[in-house]
Amino acid sequence: MLIYITGSAGTGKSAVCEELIFRGYEAYDTDDRVLASWYDKRTGEPWAGKEHPRTKKWYATHERLLSRTSIKQIAGRASSEPVFVCGVQFRDEELWDLFDQVVGLIVDEETLKH
């Protein structure tokens, strides 16, 4: 069973991932370079550089996407024990068909500020 745990910034996705690993589950964070990469929005080509310029202009023309191939490989290892992918990336809903469950974490504004 492959489970995607997603949500907006600050909802605890990385903390959940760390806790799942601590408890002995196979879990992956989408911030891992193996699972997601930067792509040019116009051409669809992967960003060739190791580090990108962190400017508004660069972000306007690039997006970080999950690798369908990597998620398929993880799904192939998922059996009776659940395997988790935790995080959020642009257009991740395009890969939801690869997951058995998608769990969205939410947090109210007051808690998020705290």
Side-chain angles (χ1 to χ4, degrees), residues 1-6 16-17 20 25-30 35 66 71 74-75 78-87 95-96 98-105:
M1 173 178 280
L2 185 61
I3 301 169
Y4 185 40
I5 299 176
T6 188
V16 167
C17 188
L20 289 165
Y25 290 99
E26 186 175 351
Y28 301 89
D29 193 318
T30 62
L35 295 184
L66 286 172
I71 299 300
I74 293 170
S79 58
S80 59
E81 288 293 317
V83 177
F84 299 89
V85 175
C86 306
L95 303 180
W96 287 3
L98 300 176
F99 296 94
D100 297 298
Q101 292 182 357
V102 175
V103 177
L105 302 180

Side-chain angles (χ1 to χ4, degrees), residues 1 17 38 41-42 62 66 68 89 101 105 113:
M1 173 178 280
C17 188
W38 286 99
K41 289 181 182 179
R42 294 175 303 243
H62 292 81
L66 286 172
R68 187 169 195 85
Q89 298 295 332
Q101 292 182 357
L105 302 180
K113 286 180 181 178

Side-chain angles (χ1 to χ4, degrees), residues 8-92:
S8 61
T11 56
K13 301 173 299 294
S14 294
V16 167
C17 188
E18 290 174 13
E19 183 65 24
L20 289 165
I21 292 168
F22 176 77
R23 293 179 182 218
Y25 290 99
E26 186 175 351
Y28 301 89
D29 193 318
T30 62
D31 288 338
D32 186 328
R33 286 184 173 209
V34 174
L35 295 184
S37 299
W38 286 99
Y39 292 85
D40 187 296
K41 289 181 182 179
R42 294 175 303 243
T43 66
E45 293 295 316
W47 171 251
K50 291 184 180 182
E51 293 295 323
H52 61 78
R54 297 182 186 275
T55 64
K56 287 182 181 182
K57 182 179 178 182
W58 191 89
Y59 282 114
T61 58
H62 292 81
E63 59 190 349
R64 190 166 166 83
L65 302 174
L66 286 172
S67 162
R68 187 169 195 85
T69 302
S70 294
I71 299 300
K72 279 185 174 181
Q73 289 173 348
I74 293 170
R77 293 195 302 272
S79 58
S80 59
E81 288 293 317
V83 177
F84 299 89
V85 175
C86 306
V88 65
Q89 298 295 332
F90 293 105
R91 299 192 337 225
D92 58 1

